Amino acid sequence: MRKLNDYTKSRQAFERAVKVIPSGIYGHQGPAEGCYVPIEAFPLFSSKAQGSYLWDLDGNRFIDYMCAYGPNVLGYNDPDVDEAAAKQRAIGDCTTLPNTKMIDFAELLVDTVASADWAFFAKNGNDTTSLAVRVARAYTHRKKIVFFKGYYHGVSAWTQKLDYTGVIEEDVMHNIYVDWNDFDELAEVFEKNKGQIAAVIGQPYMHGNFMDNELPAKDFWQKVRKLCTQSGTVLIVDDVRAGFRLDIAGSDHYFGFEADLICFCKALANGYNVSALCGKDFLKNTVSAMSYTGSYWLSAVPFAAGIACIEKMKKLNCPKTLIEKGTTLSNGLIDAAKEYGFDLHVTGVPSLFYLRIADDPSLVMHQQWIAECVKRGVFFTNHHNHFINASLSDEDIKETVEVAKEAFQVIRDRYPLK
Amino acid sequence: MRKLNDYTKSRQAFERAVKVIPSGIYGHQGPAEGCYVPIEAFPLFSSKAQGSYLWDLDGNRFIDYMCAYGPNVLGYNDPDVDEAAAKQRAIGDCTTLPNTKMIDFAELLVDTVASADWAFFAKNGNDTTSLAVRVARAYTHRKKIVFFKGYYHGVSAWTQKLDYTGVIEEDVMHNIYVDWNDFDELAEVFEKNKGQIAAVIGQPYMHGNFMDNELPAKDFWQKVRKLCTQSGTVLIVDDVRAGFRLDIAGSDHYFGFEADLICFCKALANGYNVSALCGKDFLKNTVSAMSYTGSYWLSAVPFAAGIACIEKMKKLNCPKTLIEKGTTLSNGLIDAAKEYGFDLHVTGVPSLFYLRIADDPSLVMHQQWIAECVKRGVFFTNHHNHFINASLSDEDIKETVEVAKEAFQVIRDRYPLK
């Protein structure tokens, strides 16, 4: 059996952190939200990263299946992306005027993404989803927005639930929530709100947290697309999390339809800070009329990195390769689970696989298994989808399955089959 | 007389840009919003930047008084900041867990900024102003926000005017607007809305566009501070633009008061992409309870850059030095104007000086003078404050005044004194 990780230095650093940072580590990377249950199994701070590996502050190495929650798509510190970025940095990054790398990147996205006639760059995924909704309202002169339950579209007030602190009812009063994959419910909502729905916003498939991930039902998106077109409603695809891990031409293309607006962020530049809203020609003038920007939005280094990242993803046939790696891993984990008498559900597209041991509805058994994997150097989280990156090797996958087996053994010993 | 710039390549690039990017160049860096009137005087794309200089695509060199609209505070490509950033990049930037550089940076800000008991990092200035308002609403359980007319607090819907496309009345219905420096009006608003005002949000002084910039009246902030405290209202200072160009301890400290929440962005890391909300202890738990983050918010490279930037600003006695450079320049420009019979108004703090030739209320004469400066290699804009950076030399200032004189001569020839 493998030696279990010690996290003493991570804990000491966290004690420093909570003194000067609210909650110490906030958001999806923090212990409160990071699907880190049970928390004692997880490290809290990194010391370095390379390829498919992350090292924590105590020197433990992890095969990292969170990939910075998405941005790491080629492998940490990819030499081609880093070289392109460094070359641009020497010339200029955040300057009074944009560099023409911005145009090169926009042209490349328009060439690459099927539903893109133009590209608009920002910093957060949330910048692009917020712009998309604003554009839809401006274009349609309507207020209502339809969401699919289980969604996550960022941190702005318009996309929160009322029980999030600081969100007021006026922020969300025109939001309508429907069940994922329930076209009849959606059609009914359109009928009841005729001429009032500015946009439908959805992730390409339901990859929410704390739920088995669910692909679109047959023809679901095609019917949504048709309904939106007939109703003059803008169809927004939030491809922030799945983008470039399903299809280099966009996740709408993967599922055989075209969005009016599509939001990219995480896998766009292998960790360099850029997001992009792409869209159809008929909305371009509406975006042009917006006052929407930020201090670093036209910085050139992330554009250079993004160009290198997309070109390398194309060269590596990237989404297909990631899905193949994810499939090999998923099959290995499912077989390993069976060997120890567990029913492991692996859902979603394999490049963003979601894990759940289905034998125990309380999820405690699942969380304990994840904990045993993490303590042995495989960075899974409990209730969030995972991410595959291109530098993940066959050896990494083999080692992951071996660790998973050790962890299954521990859980089986704890909960023997009757 | 100097040779006038040619912008052929910039124009050709812009023709490419408008095909794939809404409005070609959007936001404050674009020709539509960048206070670029008359536009033919301005370049549109940069080719490189170094120290206090920017080169455009046609090879014209500019003494750059926009400093990327703020981020360039030490000089473009500052070697110390770039070295710290490169060192961190080799280890890891955007990874699954944060690096302890995040803690170091938070500790440094808490040590540096007078009103900071903690620091929360994000990417846009807008992320921090939006969080500040959310925190104020959550803490007070109130909805109303007071703004000072002429404000700019970012691009989120809550801080826009209703005539901005895509903004709906519900986004802004709890906003109250008062005149800058009018304490009586503010007190009246508080009286009329007793127990309902969540926050007052203000820039440290009125540095709006298309207006002479205006410092706070004597005791204005002290009276606002007292009123907020008495009323249980959160006082938010938006120091995104002015931060670290007035006082290393925060612009509230410069004017002798303490904010409850203070927003930083532009000068925080010399162009590396990071923003920070700092605040008082009594609000820390409220922030801790928020779900508020983004894909790149805990990236380590900007933290390393920010630490190096703040340390170097301290070493250079930076705000004081920038104000001195700005004062020398302002005096030189005012004297040059007088020499040619013009009344040049220079307003705001000299490190963020705002220019206006007061002889012509239509501002056409002013715009023509700015145009003549830009065409001769001094990058001013028409109706936006300017920024001083630490690498601006005495020679740069001398050359700027010479260019300004040539430009005054051109305008005087065009509009002879009667």
Side-chain angles (χ1 to χ4, degrees):
Chain A
M1 294 283 268
R2 281 168 174 78
K3 195 170 157 285
L4 300 187
N5 291 336
D6 176 83
Y7 299 126
T8 306
K9 285 181 188 168
S10 262
R11 265 59 191 166
Q12 287 166 348
F14 191 74
E15 281 174 35
R16 274 179 65 209
V18 290
K19 288 182 187 147
V20 289
I21 299 170
S23 83
I25 305 169
Y26 45 88
H28 53 287
Q29 289 160 292
E33 281 182 44
C35 307
Y36 277 4
V37 186
I39 184 171
E40 66 274 11
F42 288 86
L44 292 168
F45 287 93
S46 70
S47 61
K48 63 175 176 166
Q50 184 62 47
S52 56
Y53 306 123
L54 177 79
W55 284 262
D56 73 7
L57 206 56
D58 292 271
N60 304 302
R61 193 202 79 171
F62 297 87
I63 303 174
D64 180 7
Y65 288 102
M66 296 318 292
C67 296
Y69 288 75
N72 175 28
V73 66
L74 294 172
Y76 288 121
N77 298 351
D78 180 81
D80 297 313
V81 175
D82 284 358
E83 191 193 334
K87 211 171 147 188
Q88 180 59 45
R89 176 160 299 287
I91 301 170
D93 182 26
C94 179
T95 61
T96 296
L97 298 171
N99 185 281
T100 52
K101 282 281 188 299
M102 178 174 74
I103 314 175
D104 300 339
F105 194 27
E107 287 175 344
L108 180 59
L109 281 175
V110 167
D111 279 350
T112 303
V113 174
S115 54
D117 292 326
W118 48 262
F120 179 104
F121 301 110
K123 288 296 153 186
N124 303 317
N126 183 72
D127 298 330
T128 66
T129 56
S130 297
L131 176 58
V133 164
R134 184 103 56 98
V135 168
R137 284 178 167 162
Y139 181 77
T140 61
H141 298 279
R142 301 171 184 175
K143 291 182 175 180
K144 295 187 180 177
I145 309 290
V146 177
F147 297 71
F148 294 108
K149 288 175 195 166
Y151 71 90
Y152 179 78
H153 300 304
V155 296
S156 276
W158 63 268
T159 179
Q160 303 308 314
K161 305 277 167 53
L162 241 189
D163 57 353
Y164 277 49
T165 50
V167 175
I168 61 174
E169 57 186 333
E170 289 81 355
D171 290 328
V172 296
M173 65 191 293
H174 299 296
N175 295 1
I176 302 173
Y177 309 99
V178 302
D179 282 323
W180 170 246
N181 265 341
D182 189 341
F183 181 74
D184 291 343
E185 191 190 357
L186 183 71
E188 205 176 298
V189 159
F190 268 71
E191 188 57 36
K192 275 189 193 154
N193 298 277
K194 212 167 238 175
Q196 297 176 67
I197 300 176
V200 170
I201 182 166
Q203 290 158 328
Y205 69 91
M206 187 39 64
H207 49 58
N209 302 340
F210 285 92
M211 48 168 50
D212 285 358
N213 288 186
E214 196 183 341
L215 298 185
K218 189 174 178 302
D219 294 333
F220 177 69
W221 273 123
Q222 287 69 27
K223 286 189 281 184
V224 174
R225 173 68 276 181
K226 200 174 162 192
L227 183 63
C228 286
T229 304
Q230 285 170 343
S231 313
T233 293
V234 175
L235 179 52
I236 303 167
V237 168
D238 176 350
D239 215 6
V240 166
R241 204 186 291 184
F244 306 115
R245 277 191 168 88
L246 274 57
D247 190 325
I248 195 82
S251 299
D252 52 351
H253 185 258
Y254 183 80
F255 291 119
F257 73 105
E258 284 203 359
D260 296 320
L261 295 170
I262 183 163
C263 307
F264 295 110
C265 176
K266 290 172 182 289
L268 195 53
N270 208 49
Y272 287 81
N273 194 168
V274 63
S275 64
L277 181 69
C278 293
K280 291 290 192 187
D281 253 337
F282 76 97
L283 293 167
K284 195 178 172 193
N285 284 348
T286 307
V287 184
S288 299
M290 298 264 164
S291 182
Y292 201 78
T293 190
S295 297
Y296 311 102
W297 289 20
L298 307 192
S299 291
V301 167
F303 296 149
I307 293 165
C309 181
I310 298 228
E311 282 174 352
K312 188 155 182 178
M313 286 197 283
K314 285 182 175 178
K315 203 173 114 189
L316 298 176
N317 197 6
C318 208
K320 194 164 169 283
T321 311
L322 299 181
I323 291 171
E324 284 167 3
K325 286 178 195 288
T327 304
T328 305
L329 175 68
S330 298
N331 292 339
L333 293 174
I334 290 167
D335 289 347
K338 273 190 198 140
E339 204 177 303
Y340 292 86
F342 291 102
D343 180 23
L344 180 70
H345 286 208
V346 187
T347 50
V349 175
S351 50
L352 294 104
F353 64 98
Y354 183 92
L355 299 173
R356 180 173 66 92
I357 294 180
D359 304 73
D360 166 24
S362 80
L363 296 173
V364 168
M365 197 182 275
H366 174 73
Q367 289 171 2
Q368 292 184 353
W369 173 67
I370 294 286
E372 295 302 324
C373 290
V374 176
K375 286 192 279 187
R376 289 169 174 79
V378 169
F379 204 117
F380 288 152
T381 60
N382 287 285
H383 310 296
H384 191 291
N385 73 275
H386 300 81
F387 298 88
I388 300 288
N389 75 82
S391 73
L392 186 76
S393 69
D394 292 344
E395 292 67 36
D396 292 333
I397 294 174
K398 205 177 143 202
E399 188 183 335
T400 302
V401 174
E402 282 165 16
V403 165
K405 283 183 185 177
E406 272 196 23
F408 281 127
Q409 178 71 65
V410 171
I411 306 306
R412 184 48 72 215
D413 291 347
R414 205 171 291 162
Y415 305 97
L417 281 171
K418 279 150 198 164
Chain B
M1 294 284 269
R2 283 168 172 78
K3 194 171 156 289
L4 301 186
N5 291 334
D6 176 83
Y7 299 126
T8 305
K9 287 181 186 168
S10 262
R11 265 56 189 167
Q12 287 166 348
F14 192 73
E15 282 175 32
R16 273 178 64 208
V18 290
K19 288 183 186 148
V20 289
I21 299 169
S23 82
I25 305 169
Y26 45 89
H28 52 288
Q29 288 161 293
E33 282 183 42
C35 306
Y36 278 1
V37 185
I39 185 170
E40 66 276 10
F42 288 87
L44 293 168
F45 288 92
S46 69
S47 61
K48 62 174 177 167
Q50 183 63 47
S52 57
Y53 306 122
L54 177 80
W55 284 263
D56 72 6
L57 207 56
D58 292 271
N60 305 303
R61 194 201 77 171
F62 297 87
I63 303 174
D64 180 7
Y65 288 102
M66 295 317 292
C67 296
Y69 287 76
N72 176 29
V73 65
L74 294 173
Y76 287 121
N77 298 352
D78 179 81
D80 297 313
V81 175
D82 284 358
E83 190 192 336
K87 210 171 149 190
Q88 181 59 46
R89 175 160 299 286
I91 301 169
D93 181 27
C94 180
T95 63
T96 296
L97 299 171
N99 185 281
T100 52
K101 282 282 188 302
M102 179 175 71
I103 314 174
D104 300 338
F105 194 28
E107 287 175 345
L108 180 59
L109 281 175
V110 167
D111 279 351
T112 305
V113 175
S115 54
D117 293 324
W118 48 262
F120 178 105
F121 301 110
K123 288 296 151 185
N124 303 317
N126 183 71
D127 299 329
T128 66
T129 55
S130 297
L131 176 59
V133 164
R134 185 101 57 98
V135 167
R137 283 179 166 162
Y139 181 77
T140 61
H141 298 280
R142 302 171 183 174
K143 292 182 175 179
K144 295 186 180 177
I145 310 291
V146 177
F147 297 70
F148 295 107
K149 288 174 197 168
Y151 71 89
Y152 178 79
H153 301 304
V155 297
S156 277
W158 63 268
T159 180
Q160 302 309 314
K161 306 275 169 53
L162 242 189
D163 57 354
Y164 276 50
T165 50
V167 175
I168 60 175
E169 58 186 331
E170 290 81 355
D171 291 328
V172 295
M173 64 191 294
H174 299 295
N175 295 1
I176 301 171
Y177 309 99
V178 302
D179 282 324
W180 171 245
N181 267 340
D182 189 341
F183 180 75
D184 291 343
E185 190 190 358
L186 183 70
E188 205 177 298
V189 159
F190 268 71
E191 189 56 38
K192 275 191 195 156
N193 298 276
K194 213 166 237 178
Q196 297 176 67
I197 299 176
V200 170
I201 183 167
Q203 291 157 328
Y205 70 91
M206 188 40 64
H207 49 58
N209 303 339
F210 285 93
M211 46 168 53
D212 283 0
N213 288 187
E214 196 183 341
L215 297 185
K218 189 174 179 301
D219 294 333
F220 177 69
W221 273 124
Q222 287 68 28
K223 288 189 279 184
V224 174
R225 171 70 277 180
K226 199 175 165 192
L227 183 63
C228 286
T229 304
Q230 286 170 342
S231 313
T233 293
V234 175
L235 178 53
I236 304 167
V237 168
D238 177 350
D239 215 7
V240 167
R241 204 186 291 184
F244 307 115
R245 277 191 167 88
L246 272 57
D247 189 325
I248 196 79
S251 299
D252 51 351
H253 185 258
Y254 184 80
F255 291 119
F257 72 106
E258 284 204 358
D260 296 319
L261 294 170
I262 183 162
C263 307
F264 295 109
C265 177
K266 289 171 181 294
L268 195 52
N270 208 48
Y272 287 81
N273 193 169
V274 63
S275 64
L277 181 70
C278 293
K280 289 291 192 186
D281 253 337
F282 76 97
L283 293 168
K284 194 178 173 194
N285 285 346
T286 307
V287 185
S288 299
M290 298 262 164
S291 181
Y292 201 77
T293 189
S295 296
Y296 311 101
W297 288 20
L298 307 191
S299 291
V301 167
F303 296 150
I307 293 166
C309 181
I310 299 228
E311 282 173 352
K312 188 155 183 179
M313 285 195 286
K314 285 181 176 179
K315 204 174 114 190
L316 298 177
N317 196 6
C318 209
K320 195 166 168 284
T321 313
L322 298 182
I323 291 171
E324 285 167 4
K325 287 178 193 287
T327 304
T328 307
L329 176 67
S330 299
N331 292 340
L333 292 174
I334 290 167
D335 289 348
K338 273 188 201 141
E339 204 176 302
Y340 292 87
F342 292 102
D343 179 22
L344 181 69
H345 286 209
V346 186
T347 51
V349 175
S351 50
L352 293 103
F353 64 98
Y354 183 92
L355 299 173
R356 182 173 66 92
I357 293 180
D359 304 74
D360 166 23
S362 80
L363 297 173
V364 168
M365 198 182 273
H366 175 72
Q367 290 170 2
Q368 292 183 354
W369 173 67
I370 294 286
E372 295 301 323
C373 290
V374 176
K375 286 192 279 187
R376 287 167 175 81
V378 169
F379 204 116
F380 287 151
T381 60
N382 288 285
H383 310 296
H384 190 292
N385 73 275
H386 300 82
F387 298 88
I388 299 286
N389 75 83
S391 74
L392 187 77
S393 68
D394 292 344
E395 291 67 36
D396 292 334
I397 294 173
K398 204 178 145 204
E399 188 182 334
T400 302
V401 174
E402 281 165 17
V403 165
K405 285 184 183 176
E406 273 195 24
F408 282 127
Q409 177 71 66
V410 172
I411 306 306
R412 183 49 71 218
D413 290 347
R414 204 171 290 162
Y415 304 96
L417 282 170
K418 278 152 203 165

